[in-house]
Amino acid sequence: MYSTIAGTGRYLPERVLSNHDLEKIVDTTDEWIRERTGIERRHIAAPGETTADLAEKAARRAMEAAGVTPAEIDFLVVGTTTPDVVFPNVGCLVQERLGIAGCAAFSVEAACSGFIYALSVADRFVATGKSRCALVIGAETLSRITDWNDRTTCVLFGDGAGAVVLKPAAEPGIISTHLAADGGYKDLLYHPYGPSRQRDPERDVEGPFIQMKGNEVFKVAVKTLQGIVDVALKANGMDQSAVNWLIPHQANLRIIQATAKRLGLSMERVICTLQDHGNTSAASVPMALDVAVRDGRIRRGDTLLLEAFGGGLTWGACLLRY
Ligand code: COA
């Protein structure tokens, strides 16, 4: 038995912040941001709008696309690094809103790889018959942990949520998932504080925001992503030419181009949403998937390669037949 994607959905907050808007906030230019990253605009959650709000809306759209009712969901997992509160986890918050008490509901904390990690877990439950209908969400409000005075990071990130419904199938579906991490890179991309390591204003100079060594992250990302897409193809004895669409984590256009080149894929075969969404961490891959499913580029039977990397560092890939 395998798991298969029965439906996809996404939700983006209403407010759009363009590169030109950012020119008024920090010392940057639209040209610099577009040339170095490929990003043109991003969505920002309204005051009071939380990760669970975005997640619920994306989830309802995915369930509608899959033709399932909330009552059918028996497993709920959310990839997020910006939960509403420490606990209850975002999965429980979404579960309560959907009125589906009883099923497992939790979140996975793997930064930008959160959706691939969550998908991998849900796939195991569905493919082994432990779940008949799983809801997998990637949702973030990164704007809440972004330093809006730091031009080296604030131009990159945005808010949003994407979701898929997984159901059992006799044929794949999800062919394989591959997860990896290297905590040795923890200092390249991180948030310095949390419930257990609180900020000491006497000692800690870093603010409570995303910290990043952009150049170094860039190099490691290119290397690890090229490695993991090779691993995914090799594990299934598949050639690069079998991939119809690459759905990469939307962090930087140049990183995406490097992975596409490795796969010998023209950029027409790569789903790019970062110009409109920025880097939405765990939400980026499921939102890109939903965009291309709904605009008709991705069709049933296509072979897709999903990949992501993020703080940790964590990275992962998923090969699937849509
Ligand atoms: N606007 C204008 N100038 C900026 C700027 C901005 N928003 N941010 C940085 N600069 C300046 C720097 O200060 C530097 O100036 P200097 O040469 O006078 O010192 C110059 O631009 C080049 O900076 P650099 O950091 O070398 O640029 P880069 O080409 O590496 O691009 C990133 C920076 C962050 C876009 C790029 O490194 C990147 O995308 N890295 C990966 C980050 C990532 O993906 N993170 C998320 C992982 S999930």
Side-chain angles (χ1 to χ4, degrees), residues 12 16 61 74 81-82 85 110 112-113 131 141 148 160 166 178 189 194 198 203 205 212 215 241 264 299 309-310 312:
L12 286 146
V16 174
R61 288 177 182 175
D74 61 11
T81 198
T82 47
V85 291
C112 299
S113 312
S131 163
T141 45
W148 292 99
L166 284 189
H178 306 270
L189 178 59
Q198 298 188 353
R203 194 192 61 195
V205 287
M212 185 179 75
N215 264 311
S241 59
R299 307 224 177 128
F309 71 95

Side-chain angles (χ1 to χ4, degrees), residues 3-116:
S3 77
T4 191
I5 294 182
T8 66
R10 73 179 184 282
Y11 179 77
L12 286 146
E14 269 175 41
R15 183 179 163 220
V16 174
L17 187 72
S18 70
N19 290 351
H20 294 293
D21 295 328
L22 277 168
E23 288 175 350
K24 297 175 199 135
I25 303 173
V26 286
D27 180 15
T28 192
T29 60
D30 169 55
E31 193 187 4
W32 191 96
I33 303 170
R34 272 191 290 109
E35 275 179 10
R36 302 279 177 139
T37 71
I39 299 166
E40 295 172 26
R41 60 193 72 79
R42 69 287 291 144
H43 291 246
I44 303 293
E49 190 173 37
T50 69
T51 295
D53 293 331
L54 310 186
E56 179 194 354
K57 290 186 169 117
R60 288 193 187 277
R61 288 177 182 175
M63 288 186 290
E64 197 186 340
V68 305
T69 62
E72 290 171 67
I73 302 295
D74 61 11
F75 187 88
L76 200 173
V77 56
V78 184
T80 188
T81 198
T82 47
D84 295 35
V85 291
V86 175
F87 64 87
N89 72 69
V90 176
C92 288
L93 300 180
V94 172
Q95 184 199 44
E96 190 267 337
R97 291 161 186 221
L98 298 179
I100 50 172
C103 71
F106 61 104
S107 59
V108 171
E109 190 194 345
C112 299
S113 312
F115 177 76
I116 302 277

Side-chain angles (χ1 to χ4, degrees), residues 26-29 32-33 36-37 112 151-153 155-157 189 212-218 221 249 251-252 254-255 279 309-311:
V26 286
D27 180 15
T28 192
T29 60
W32 191 96
I33 303 170
R36 302 279 177 139
T37 71
C112 299
R151 70 174 184 172
T152 68
T153 53
V155 301
L156 303 176
F157 302 111
L189 178 59
M212 185 179 75
K213 296 188 175 74
N215 264 311
E216 291 174 55
V217 172
F218 190 100
H249 173 47
N252 184 306
R254 290 178 291 145
I255 297 174
N279 179 349
F309 71 95

